[in-house]
Amino acid sequence: MDLSHDTMLELSKVWGLFYLILFSIGVIIYTFWPSNKARFDRAETDIFDKDDTPWR
């Protein structure tokens, strides 16, 4: 196998694509994992607990 610049470029593009696809799947799985629901619900409401009054 000839390891020219074009071969290495194509190899890096293919592996980079696989890496990004697997990373995206991992993020989606983490987001929709049932045990993370409480954490995300708390993060959604905690931002409003202390800042619900006007500034003075």
Side-chain angles (χ1 to χ4, degrees), residues 13-35:
K13 284 183 179 182
V14 169
W15 284 109
L17 176 65
F18 287 147
Y19 169 75
L20 288 176
I21 289 171
L22 289 175
F23 184 75
S24 299
I25 290 171
V27 167
I28 290 170
I29 289 171
Y30 173 76
T31 302
F32 292 108
W33 200 260
S35 63

Side-chain angles (χ1 to χ4, degrees), residues 1-14:
M1 179 175 185
D2 183 26
L3 292 177
S4 67
H5 174 50
D6 293 331
T7 305
M8 294 302 292
L9 182 65
E10 190 163 334
L11 185 66
S12 67
K13 284 183 179 182
V14 169

